[in-house]
Amino acid sequence: MCAISGYASSLLLLTGVKEIQSSLQSLELKANVTAQEDAQEVENEEEETKRHLNVVFIGHVDAGKSTAGGQILFLSGQVDDRTIQKYEKEAKDKSRESWYMAYIMDTNEEERVKGKTVEVGRAHFETEHTRFTILDAPGHKSYVPNMISGASQADIGVLVISARKGEFETGYEKGGQTREHVLLAKTLGVSKLVVVINKMDEPTVKWSKERYDEIEGKMVPFLKSSGYNVKKDVQFLPISGLLGTNMKTRLDKSICSWWDGPCLFEVLDRIEVPLRDPKGPVRMPIIDKYKDMGTVVMGKIESGTIREGDSLLVMPNKSHVKAIGISLDESKVRRAGPAENVRVKLSGIEEEDIMAGFVLSSVANPVGAVTEFNAQLQILELLDNAIFTAGYKAVLHIHSVVEECEIVELIEEIDMKKKKEADPKKKKPKRKPLFVKNGAVVVCRVQVNNLICIEKFSDFPQLGRFTLRTEGKTVAVGKVVEVPPVGSPTF
């Protein structure tokens, strides 16, 4: 009996030793895995030498923006053949055979049925030197506010123009979205523009050089008047979004004998954009938020670097928060710098206490929160019989903020022609205008009901440029020239 119990206890002891050994091994394994993961993460961060750019696709409805975006994703290997075949069948069933590429970007049913982009589609692809986030903006005039939110996150724009007979003219004429989108893109800080003349394969065009030249000839003066330096900041090229011609590889001479320029991927890869300051104060306008085992905010970092563990401020409600996780596309990272579209998990705040338009900023140098500011405005096109004067009301779009505003005072009208000739030393006292007309440039005071986070254009262009819209039309574009003193919401 005693022998048996002795045997049992030694068996237990052995089992215990084995368990301890195996748990030590598993701890060792875990430690190795963690070490490997850490090493991998460091390696990934070191590897991440590719620059990142946000590119917004803009243009008139039906110009082929979603199709071109879908084709880019297919050509860069983001979408496989089977998915394409599925979309082809789906489009065929809806008797919309040429729309199948657009289904890659237009994911919801309403968009597919109507053939119109509503939300800003978002996707990612890479070229040799650059990682891109595509923002597919809606072209229809009913969805311009969505287009504004897309363009305000972009570094470069791809303006898609249809070469099809009649389609370019519709988009370009008064009331067409081509004009409005170009003006908005310029105002929202899209400094470089690639103008792709799409549908060149179309039977009414057949890669005609005359048609290409005609469109370029009409667009150049308009782009100049919108503030673009056409020689430095704009590049034209012909493509077929549906067939993918001149997108990833250069045009074959058998298809088009007269074009010897680069293809779209080459142009995007080589485009130069101004660098932002990774060491500057953190500024990240919040475009969306959701709950996921904590509060997650989405947006584009306009300045500074956010690191895991950073203490930050959510403005204008001055909530102290901690960044407990950062995601780039689908992968977790330890830090993210300017121009990155990120998701940041925050502790210390509830999701319902955050709104689109709030700004994540550094504690030491927070963004200002104001209810009024002075702005330089360019009046584009007022509604019929409207006069721009004190008391004028409109909807203000500035980064991800959408607020009703009122012009409370016109301070001075600027004569742009005389401004260039005038001697800056001989400053005459200005007479305050009572009202201004279309085309005028005016400095005025703008007031809003709620606190908004903005900066002077000269300090942070991304948080200091805006548009004024009323009844679905863009009536003016402007920049913030003066804000109230630090700590005060009013002058």
Side-chain angles (χ1 to χ4, degrees):
M1 188 75 180
C2 195
I4 291 170
S5 69
Y7 175 72
S9 63
S10 62
L11 199 64
L12 274 167
L13 199 66
L14 262 174
T15 314
V17 168
K18 278 187 175 161
E19 271 178 14
I20 290 166
Q21 278 178 332
S22 75
S23 61
L24 278 170
Q25 275 177 330
S26 76
L27 274 172
E28 211 169 285
L29 274 171
K30 271 186 188 164
N32 284 344
V33 168
T34 312
Q36 279 172 346
E37 279 176 357
D38 285 354
Q40 186 67 41
E41 203 156 313
V42 170
E43 208 175 284
N44 285 351
E45 287 200 5
E46 282 171 5
E47 261 177 32
E48 197 50 89
T49 50
K50 278 190 179 183
R51 64 177 186 160
H52 176 251
L53 286 182
N54 298 286
V55 52
V56 66
F57 278 70
I58 56 174
H60 191 67
V61 64
D62 285 343
K65 298 182 293 298
S66 300
T67 298
Q71 186 67 259
I72 284 175
L73 295 182
F74 175 59
L75 292 171
S76 59
Q78 304 298 312
V79 183
D80 58 17
D81 282 338
R82 278 181 63 184
T83 311
I84 292 288
Q85 283 162 7
K86 189 185 106 188
Y87 290 153
E88 245 180 309
K89 183 182 179 307
E90 199 177 318
K92 213 171 195 167
D93 294 344
K94 291 189 169 99
S95 307
R96 296 280 189 264
E97 276 145 65
S98 64
W99 289 3
Y100 71 97
M101 274 290 174
Y103 283 9
I104 299 171
M105 295 302 292
D106 291 342
T107 49
N108 77 32
E109 200 48 40
E110 181 195 355
E111 293 180 320
R112 290 182 178 185
V113 170
K114 287 183 179 172
K116 289 189 182 92
T117 305
V118 178
E119 298 296 333
V120 175
R122 187 182 288 265
H124 312 276
F125 77 100
E126 293 188 17
T127 54
E128 201 179 334
H129 305 292
T130 318
R131 284 186 305 116
F132 288 97
T133 298
I134 296 181
L135 302 155
D136 176 31
H140 198 274
K141 60 172 173 278
S142 312
Y143 307 120
V144 168
N146 294 4
M147 177 267 166
I148 290 174
S149 89
S152 66
Q153 300 162 54
D155 305 293
I156 55 174
V158 174
L159 173 65
V160 184
I161 287 176
S162 168
R164 182 184 278 161
K165 217 176 178 62
E167 277 190 11
F168 161 67
E169 287 72 11
T170 310
Y172 180 69
E173 279 160 15
K174 213 173 173 186
Q177 283 345 95
T178 304
R179 285 168 175 268
E180 186 173 17
H181 277 202
V182 168
L183 278 166
L184 286 172
K186 184 64 186 164
T187 313
L188 295 162
V190 177
S191 56
K192 304 277 177 172
L193 214 51
V194 180
V195 182
V196 298
I197 298 177
N198 188 21
K199 306 192 186 182
M200 289 294 290
D201 57 309
E202 226 272 325
T204 62
V205 186
K206 293 182 180 161
W207 295 96
S208 147
K209 186 176 191 310
E210 289 70 31
R211 179 62 167 160
Y212 177 86
D213 290 344
E214 178 195 355
I215 292 171
E216 187 176 349
K218 282 185 179 170
M219 284 306 297
V220 165
F222 175 65
L223 289 165
K224 278 183 181 163
S225 71
S226 303
Y228 280 101
N229 178 333
V230 177
K231 285 198 174 91
K232 273 171 59 188
D233 301 332
V234 180
Q235 185 149 2
F236 285 83
L237 73 157
I239 67 160
S240 161
L242 188 62
L243 304 177
T245 320
N246 204 31
M247 290 180 82
K248 192 179 181 182
T249 50
R250 288 194 172 200
L251 252 174
D252 198 306
K253 287 276 182 245
S254 62
I255 296 172
C256 176
S257 56
W258 52 269
W259 179 258
D260 56 4
C263 62
L264 181 60
F265 276 38
E266 287 175 79
V267 171
L268 292 174
D269 215 10
R270 288 186 201 149
I271 218 157
E272 293 291 326
V273 294
L275 292 169
R276 302 219 172 125
D277 186 4
K279 292 187 170 70
V282 170
R283 296 286 184 272
M284 185 187 115
I286 294 166
I287 55 166
D288 207 353
K289 42 78 191 258
Y290 60 91
K291 260 190 180 132
D292 179 15
M293 293 158 67
T295 302
V296 182
V297 293
M298 291 164 67
K300 176 183 164 197
I301 302 173
E302 296 292 2
S303 159
T305 301
I306 297 178
R307 291 177 179 79
E308 214 176 291
D310 276 1
S311 293
L312 299 160
L313 266 185
V314 173
M315 293 293 284
N317 55 359
K318 298 181 180 166
S319 302
H320 283 265
V321 294
K322 192 173 179 182
I324 53 174
I326 304 164
S327 301
L328 250 179
D329 304 344
E330 296 309 312
S331 49
K332 282 193 162 63
V333 291
R334 293 275 176 88
R335 59 183 168 81
E340 292 287 9
N341 277 312
V342 292
R343 290 196 295 274
V344 184
K345 188 177 278 193
L346 302 174
S347 67
I349 193 165
E350 289 302 316
E351 179 244 358
E352 54 266 23
D353 296 328
I354 298 174
M355 287 168 71
F358 282 15
V359 175
L360 204 54
S361 75
S362 45
V363 179
N365 184 347
V367 62
V370 303
T371 54
E372 61 178 23
F373 59 92
N374 289 357
Q376 182 179 313
L377 268 187
Q378 183 182 356
I379 314 295
L380 301 175
E381 197 181 342
L382 298 168
L383 295 180
D384 301 342
N385 306 323
I387 299 173
F388 196 85
T389 179
Y392 188 90
K393 289 185 170 70
V395 178
L396 168 79
H397 292 260
I398 184 160
H399 61 87
S400 51
V401 171
V402 182
E403 273 284 333
E404 288 193 3
C405 71
E406 184 178 341
I407 308 300
V408 288
E409 183 190 353
L410 299 190
I411 297 165
E412 65 168 287
E413 186 171 356
I414 297 168
D415 188 332
M416 296 312 272
K417 289 186 188 117
K418 282 186 182 166
K419 195 181 177 190
K420 285 171 190 168
E421 299 156 14
D423 182 350
K425 287 171 192 167
K426 293 179 187 170
K427 269 210 161 180
K428 286 182 186 171
K430 293 278 181 187
R431 202 165 50 85
K432 285 188 182 184
L434 288 173
F435 66 91
V436 292
K437 294 177 183 167
N438 281 345
V441 176
V442 64
V443 177
C444 56
R445 182 158 296 175
V446 184
Q447 219 170 55
V448 290
N449 295 328
N450 301 307
L451 280 171
I452 58 169
C453 297
I454 59 169
E455 297 272 10
K456 275 164 65 173
F457 180 82
S458 52
D459 298 340
F460 284 93
Q462 298 79 18
L463 302 183
R465 51 167 80 89
F466 63 91
T467 59
L468 290 185
R469 290 176 55 79
T470 181
E471 290 180 31
K473 267 180 80 172
T474 302
V475 290
V477 293
K479 56 186 181 185
V480 178
V481 290
E482 204 181 332
V483 291
V486 177
S488 169
T490 55
F491 286 105

